[in-house]
Amino acid sequence: MAEGDGVVSEMSWRAVLAGAERELAAAGVPSPRVDAELLAAHVLGIPRAQLALLGAGRAVEQDRLAEFRALIARRATRVPLQYLLGTAPMGPVDVVVGPGVFVPRLETELLLEWGLRALVGVPKPLVVDLCTGSGALAAAVAASRPDADVYAVELDPEALSWARRNLGDRALLVHGDVTDPGLLPELHGRVDLVLANPPYVPEGTPVPPEVADHDPHRAVFAGADGLAVIRPLVVLAIRLLRPGGALAIEHDDTHATAAPAVLAGHAELTDVVEHPDLAGRPRFVTGARVAP
């Protein structure tokens, strides 16, 4: 069907989606069809699932088609999908993201789910999110457990501005360095759960353009072995946790043995367990503060 009268018919729209998928695939985008559909749904203001229902009298305006094509062109240059959408999901919340802040990944939702299970039966829990970045984990915990007192720690000023937008009064945002073992002295020995998605990629590791060109370097890379932040962060976490309190830290998929070894090297921690992501890759490690 032809374009006309400022609208594009159902068949033409489907052809546009197919063309967008081909353009993104040629640019090396890992999930071209998904990205094309998410951008189309964003432009049209509908859930992605409703794209299949386009037609039956539903027309697509030319200006929306132009907006869609412009977004596809930017995605083809490997601008992160979340920058184009303006948000990234984390469990029950969507957080605003853009240049200057690390984009939360879906894999981190597994760490979130583990943490929330660790809080079952804990009344009015005290939770600390270290290296909060956009504030995604802290916001998700606060939304899932409205009775919780949530602290979110971030060092980078640009990331802090994004976290401030996402957290509002749902969590106490702290400008601090997680490698400082004396941070948050008022919370030492009181925290029920510490979560962390710190920088963990070894320097020199090849990463996709979305990461290399857009994620802040200091939010991604952490020394030659990727553990430069995790090692001191564990020391801080031990000081923060109450006896029996839980700890979960995301790490690189090359850290299957190294990250658990860092935790196991501290006599104050027990129940050290490695967890895979949905693709079966090593993704996060958990432990608990030794009870008296």
Side-chain angles (χ1 to χ4, degrees):
M1 298 181 186
E3 301 180 8
D5 299 325
V7 300
V8 180
S9 69
E10 175 192 7
M11 292 301 295
S12 293
W13 180 251
R14 288 179 176 173
V16 167
L17 265 179
E21 180 182 3
R22 290 192 296 271
E23 182 178 349
L24 296 182
V29 173
S31 52
R33 183 68 185 189
V34 172
D35 286 21
E37 290 182 353
L38 287 171
L39 289 170
H42 172 70
V43 167
L44 295 172
I46 62 175
R48 179 186 167 203
Q50 290 186 13
L51 288 175
L53 304 178
L54 285 179
R58 174 65 189 265
V60 182
E61 296 84 356
Q62 288 277 19
D63 57 349
R64 292 191 177 183
L65 177 62
E67 180 184 355
F68 172 71
R69 285 176 166 158
L71 289 173
I72 290 295
R74 293 185 65 198
R75 184 69 185 104
T77 68
R78 307 301 290 273
V79 173
L81 173 68
Q82 297 85 351
Y83 281 13
L84 301 177
L85 297 175
T87 61
M90 180 57 62
V93 302
D94 289 329
V95 294
V96 293
V97 293
V101 71
F102 179 82
V103 174
R105 270 53 167 185
L106 289 176
E107 293 88 348
T108 305
E109 291 193 2
L110 297 175
L111 181 147
L112 169 66
E113 292 168 3
W114 185 92
L116 292 175
R117 288 195 300 271
L119 293 179
V120 172
V122 180
K124 298 182 179 179
L126 179 57
V127 180
V128 176
D129 173 21
L130 300 176
C131 302
T132 196
S134 65
L137 276 172
V141 170
S144 301
R145 288 294 303 263
D147 62 327
D149 287 328
V150 181
Y151 286 69
V153 180
E154 179 54 51
L155 179 63
D156 184 76
E158 284 191 83
L160 277 168
S161 67
W162 289 101
R164 193 170 293 112
R165 292 174 62 185
N166 287 314
L167 292 173
D169 60 1
R170 292 189 289 185
L172 180 61
L173 186 59
V174 178
H175 182 202
D177 184 350
V178 302
T179 68
D180 174 8
L183 189 67
L184 298 173
E186 70 278 14
L187 300 186
H188 286 188
R190 297 176 48 206
V191 177
D192 297 293
L193 173 66
V194 172
L195 299 175
N197 183 13
Y200 55 65
V201 177
E203 285 284 356
T205 300
V207 293
E210 290 87 346
V211 178
D213 299 336
H214 298 281
D215 277 329
H217 186 93
R218 69 185 300 175
V220 176
F221 298 95
D225 64 358
L227 296 169
V229 176
I230 288 178
R231 287 192 187 94
L233 183 152
V234 171
V235 175
L236 171 62
I238 289 170
R239 292 194 177 187
L240 291 172
L241 289 170
R242 64 165 175 80
L247 168 65
I249 304 173
E250 187 167 323
H251 59 69
D252 192 65
D253 56 15
T254 63
H255 293 155
T257 57
V262 172
L263 272 65
H266 293 274
E268 301 93 336
L269 294 175
T270 187
D271 299 329
V272 176
V273 178
E274 175 60 33
H275 302 262
D277 61 21
L278 294 176
R281 297 168 298 193
R283 184 52 57 199
F284 68 99
V285 62
T286 60
R289 184 74 158 83
V290 171

